[in-house]
Amino acid sequence: MLRERVEELDTRLKKNWGACQLCPIGFYATKHVLVEHVGFDDPYLQKIERCPLLFVGEAPGESEDVIGRPFVGKSGKLLRDSIDLLQETLSLKVPYSITNVVACRPCNGPNTANRQPDKKEMANCAPRLIDIVRTLDPVCVVALGHVAKLALEKANCHYGLHGVEFDEFYLNHPAYVLRSGGFGSETHKVFMQELSEALKLAEEYLENVHSS
Ligand code: URA
């Protein structure tokens, strides 16, 4: 059952990656940001084997580094508000998980600006992402931005996600949506449309499980 595998995954990630210092950013990190699961406590989910929906972002920013959870800053608010609004509008209750390509805030030292993760950081953190994807066996994966898309492609080709099959959606990163006008903008409308497709597909899986 998914619920047991999730518990084991969280314990394993904490042990293996919770204090990782393979990269200098692991040394600078206030908190390593691993994975978060939303809506998994619902008792009606007892029967599910697969995670309906997994979001993969780029990397923790300042808020995530302090709080230790993915997508809790401004772009996280846009993402979570968008998911909540669609779930409410479409009467869905899809549980989902959120993680990032790397677990630590990419920067060039303490108190320096955020930057994109580099190739070495992405490669060092790839086994963590692969463990998450393999364990959750997601029905849909939403790559948020091109860094996540690239990391998932690499994970698939080079590191072996073989055997794990999912529908992949590629959405703009919420930070880009914010820069392009935020909630209600044309870019956000496209983001919502694509997000709704992923949610509906995840819901189909849940309906199939419950009707079987
Ligand atoms: N941007 C990301 O890609 N991930 C986060 O967790 C926060 C901001």
Side-chain angles (χ1 to χ4, degrees), residues 170-185:
Y170 171 46
L171 270 63
N172 279 321
H173 192 283
Y176 174 81
V177 180
L178 277 180
R179 287 197 301 275
S180 312
F183 227 91
S185 64

Side-chain angles (χ1 to χ4, degrees), residues 33 56-64 69-76 98-102 114 144 148 173-175:
V33 181
V56 180
E58 183 177 308
E62 271 152 32
S63 312
E64 292 78 17
R69 292 170 51 211
F71 282 102
V72 289
K74 280 188 195 148
S75 57
I98 318 184
T99 189
N100 282 302
V101 171
V102 297
N114 298 342
L144 296 164
H173 192 283

Side-chain angles (χ1 to χ4, degrees), residues 73-85:
K74 280 188 195 148
S75 57
K77 182 166 165 42
L78 182 129
L79 174 66
R80 290 172 189 262
D81 286 352
S82 302
I83 300 169
D84 289 350
L85 180 61

Side-chain angles (χ1 to χ4, degrees), residues 65-192:
D65 174 67
V66 172
I67 296 170
R69 292 170 51 211
F71 282 102
V72 289
K74 280 188 195 148
S75 57
K77 182 166 165 42
L78 182 129
L79 174 66
R80 290 172 189 262
D81 286 352
S82 302
I83 300 169
D84 289 350
L85 180 61
L86 283 171
Q87 300 248 53
E88 201 183 318
T89 319
L90 302 170
S91 303
L92 306 176
K93 217 173 165 192
V94 175
Y96 58 91
S97 300
I98 318 184
T99 189
N100 282 302
V101 171
V102 297
C104 302
R105 182 178 81 91
C107 60
N108 295 329
N111 305 317
T112 59
N114 298 342
R115 57 165 173 76
Q116 275 191 359
D118 64 28
K119 278 190 185 154
K120 182 95 179 49
E121 290 157 354
M122 286 167 67
N124 281 345
C125 225
R128 183 194 58 91
L129 182 60
I130 289 168
D131 189 10
I132 293 172
V133 177
R134 280 194 179 149
T135 307
L136 296 179
D137 189 14
V139 178
C140 302
V141 176
V142 175
L144 296 164
H146 70 281
V147 172
K149 183 170 186 275
L150 186 75
L152 285 162
E153 277 165 11
K154 280 205 164 173
N156 219 349
C157 304
H158 302 302
Y159 304 106
L161 283 181
H162 313 294
V164 186
E165 284 182 18
F166 47 79
D167 280 279
E168 190 177 339
F169 292 79
Y170 171 46
L171 270 63
N172 279 321
H173 192 283
Y176 174 81
V177 180
L178 277 180
R179 287 197 301 275
S180 312
F183 227 91
S185 64
E186 281 309 312
T187 316
H188 184 247
K189 281 182 194 149
V190 175
F191 182 85
M192 290 291 268

Side-chain angles (χ1 to χ4, degrees), residues 15-29:
K15 177 167 165 272
N16 296 345
W17 300 94
C20 171
Q21 293 190 347
L22 279 176
C23 318
I25 56 172
F27 183 75
Y28 307 139

